[in-house]
Amino acid sequence: MKIIDLFCGIGGLSLGFEQSGFEVVAGVDLWEDAIKTFNHNRKDRTGMVMPVDVFNKTELPKILENGSITGVIGGPPCQGFSTVGKRDINDERNRLYLDFYETVKIAKPDFFVIENVKGMLTLNKGSFVKSVIDLFGENGLGYKVAYKLLNAADYGVPQNRYRVFYIGLRKDVFKFPKEIQTKVSCKEAIEDLRLADSSVYPSLPSSEYQRKMRGDNNVLFNQDITSHSEQTISIISQIPDGGNIRCLPREYWEVRKYNKAFERMGSDRQSNTVDTGHRNYFHYKENRIPTVRENARLQSFPDNFEILGTRGSQYKQVGNAVPPMLSYAIAQEILKQL
């Protein structure tokens, strides 16, 4: 079952589908760093640095000559829908979204998956939802379209991360996977990485999640710990497990005027949404920001998935990704329903 991942980044969405038995024959993105990481972690190295419209003209026909495509997945940008009081599908800022549509139109897959931020459900009176249904639905390309806001934490990811998924099938309306009852905490996710150097696990795994993320991996990647100034360490040390800027003296409140400015993970609950740095979000016990590896764990990337590039790029690559465990849950349901 061959699929294409557009705007793929490092391939978090791809990875969940690969773990379900799908073959990613192309991952397309303009960000060279992300594609280097995408290819580094895959034997077939099918990642391509190119615009999707160029892919549609030059690479997609070659792929289709070698057989049909089962699915097209990805998270196309669609900023054009943010224009207040206007819903112009031809807005130049929607070009990338329309390129995704063209891929589906040409490839005629059995299913498609669009992932997007939760704001796209209500933005400009739901104009994006209406567009997906108009373009891809039964009066468009002929798919039965379902959409739902999902929290990654409900599917085994140790992170509260809300994303909307629009899924189209040819024959039936997609039924979204059931939420799991047991949530994974930050401590259960990354406790075994505490006090680690850049290559050696400091302790045995202490939770089922840690064991799953390690697999048979024995080399620790991306665990370079940030060196903070003594002043920064002093400030972080005053924030308790699960606390925030309001736990500091009032003088700090005026420096950063929002509660998320200085915040510690809660060891007994899920992480905040992993962003492109977590620069103001600290380890629940150590006086530092999380490492790239810890962020990757919170995103549910297995430990053998190595992130390439500069440290800043690594954080951004991980923060922009779809959690593979959430992707896996969706892929498993698509398999059942195809």
Side-chain angles (χ1 to χ4, degrees), residues 15 27 39 56 90 138 208 215 224 280-281:
L15 186 55
N39 284 334
N56 287 340
N90 295 311
E138 295 182 82
E208 183 55 37
D224 300 314
N280 293 300
Y281 194 54

Side-chain angles (χ1 to χ4, degrees), residues 8-224:
C8 63
I10 62 176
L13 194 55
S14 282
L15 186 55
F17 277 82
E18 289 166 330
Q19 291 168 341
S20 295
F22 289 91
E23 176 191 0
V24 179
V25 295
V28 184
D29 203 291
L30 278 177
W31 191 14
E32 188 173 354
D33 280 8
I35 291 297
K36 284 180 179 178
T37 294
F38 183 101
N39 284 334
H40 177 71
N41 290 283
R42 292 169 171 89
K43 292 180 181 178
D44 293 339
R45 302 177 66 85
T46 55
M48 307 175 188
V49 181
M50 66 174 60
V52 173
D53 61 336
V54 174
F55 168 81
N56 287 340
K57 294 172 185 175
T58 62
E59 303 301 321
L60 184 55
K62 300 175 192 174
I63 291 171
L64 294 175
E65 285 177 5
N66 293 320
S68 62
I69 293 299
T70 305
V72 175
I73 64 177
C78 34
Q79 292 94 330
F81 289 95
S82 64
T83 308
V84 177
K86 182 181 178 184
R87 190 182 72 85
D88 181 8
I89 187 61
N90 295 311
D91 187 308
E92 176 61 23
R93 292 171 297 171
N94 291 329
R95 181 178 60 81
L96 300 178
Y97 163 58
L98 292 176
D99 289 341
F100 182 101
Y101 165 78
E102 284 298 319
T103 308
V104 175
K105 183 178 179 181
I106 295 167
K108 300 179 175 64
D110 295 328
F111 73 89
F112 72 85
V113 176
I114 294 175
E115 176 265 348
N116 223 302
V117 295
K118 67 178 181 179
M120 296 309 296
L121 271 179
T122 55
L123 188 65
N124 199 9
K125 299 180 180 179
S127 61
F128 182 71
V129 176
K130 186 177 187 305
S131 176
V132 171
I133 293 172
D134 288 347
L135 288 177
F136 295 89
E138 295 182 82
N139 294 324
L141 296 183
Y143 292 91
K144 291 180 170 60
V145 181
Y147 61 92
K148 188 175 181 179
L149 178 65
L150 303 179
N151 182 5
D154 292 328
Y155 299 92
V157 181
Q159 174 193 178
N160 286 309
R161 188 184 191 92
Y162 290 89
R163 293 293 185 269
V164 186
F165 287 82
Y166 308 82
I167 299 176
L169 301 178
R170 287 289 185 189
K171 296 181 180 180
D172 301 298
V173 177
F174 179 71
K175 298 178 182 64
F176 281 88
K178 293 181 180 179
E179 300 172 0
I180 64 173
Q181 298 303 311
T182 305
K183 304 287 182 69
V184 180
S185 70
C186 289
K187 186 174 182 179
E188 290 172 314
I190 64 173
E191 175 69 11
D192 63 320
L193 301 180
R194 284 189 58 233
L195 306 175
D197 64 23
S198 60
S199 62
V200 178
Y201 286 104
S203 64
L204 295 174
S206 57
S207 72
E208 183 55 37
Y209 185 85
Q210 293 167 21
R211 283 186 283 272
K212 183 172 184 176
M213 291 300 102
R214 286 194 188 197
D216 59 1
N217 188 62
N218 55 18
V219 178
L220 190 54
F221 300 116
N222 305 115
Q223 183 61 10
D224 300 314

